Amino acid sequence: MKTFFKNNGLSVCFILLFIGAWIGQVVLGFKEHNKELLEEGAKIINLSTYLTSGHFFQSTFENWESEFLQMALFVVCTIFLKQKGSSESKKIDEPEEVDREPDPNRKDAPWPVKKGGFVLQLYKHSLTIILLLLFLVSFIIHFYGSLKDENEKLLLEGKPLETVSSYLSNSRFWFESFQNWQSEFLSVFAIIMLSIYFRQIGSSQSKPVDAPHMETGE
């Protein structure tokens, strides 16, 4: 068990933080949604009903969508773009280990590397592909949840419901997306630029404490 936590401590820590924060979101979102229903003169719902509501899907997946978009773009942009002095950038004029072609004879190389051909070509871009797929799935579920939540509110008000095509041009849905996207892009910009001048001893995201400001990479 000690070996497991030593080898997987970072992922275990963040999955537990995620679970705790998600439970907090569910509990407080459930209370907030019922408060809104009472204010609109509707009956409150139970937790199981809330977990299938538009409010739950919209509030959950609009955040997941922006996270996966941010990570996918960051992975892609760091292939071509660099930032002098940042620990998050490849070195400006030096070859990097990540740029070399995979060696199928390397010990313990993943099976797609040994397989070669189309499988290897796919594997060489698999991180970007999976992040973009996760973004697309989250985007679709966010849209579904936002549309469902909007129609639940319109139903209570006795107004005509939104269709899929009409809601695609609705400002609410795109506002939900852009308000999350802009914060994710700002956070990436912040870590890129702040890592030039500030340090954290022991972190893989920081340059060594005594490294010059304009030294690029970790």
Side-chain angles (χ1 to χ4, degrees), residues 6-21:
K6 180 180 179 181
N7 293 339
N8 302 280
L10 194 57
S11 58
V12 170
C13 173
F14 275 92
I15 196 64
L16 290 177
L17 287 171
F18 161 72
I19 292 171

Side-chain angles (χ1 to χ4, degrees), residues 84-86 92 196-197 199 207 211-216:
K84 187 172 179 61
S86 176
I92 302 298
I196 298 174
Y197 303 104
R199 311 283 190 270
K207 293 188 292 187
H213 288 329
M214 289 302 105
E215 182 177 300
T216 307

Side-chain angles (χ1 to χ4, degrees), residues 20 22-23 29 32 51 63 70 115 131 135 139 142 150 154 156 159 168 189 218:
W22 199 24
I23 290 172
E32 181 65 20
L51 292 176
N63 290 291
Q70 174 239 103
K115 180 74 173 177
L131 288 173
F135 161 70
F139 183 85
H142 166 213
E150 180 72 7
L154 291 174
L156 289 174
K159 296 180 180 179
L168 275 171
F189 171 78
E218 297 174 5

Side-chain angles (χ1 to χ4, degrees), residues 157-202:
E157 297 170 0
K159 296 180 180 179
L161 303 185
E162 291 271 8
T163 64
V164 171
S165 58
S166 66
Y167 198 62
L168 275 171
S169 60
N170 190 297
S171 59
R172 174 192 166 178
F173 170 69
W174 291 106
F175 168 71
E176 291 169 354
S177 291
F178 277 102
Q179 71 170 337
N180 284 283
W181 294 359
Q182 57 86 15
S183 65
E184 298 300 337
F185 299 151
L186 177 62
S187 67
V188 173
F189 171 78
I191 189 62
I192 289 170
M193 296 306 296
L194 294 177
S195 68
I196 298 174
Y197 303 104
F198 299 94
R199 311 283 190 270
Q200 176 56 59
I201 191 168

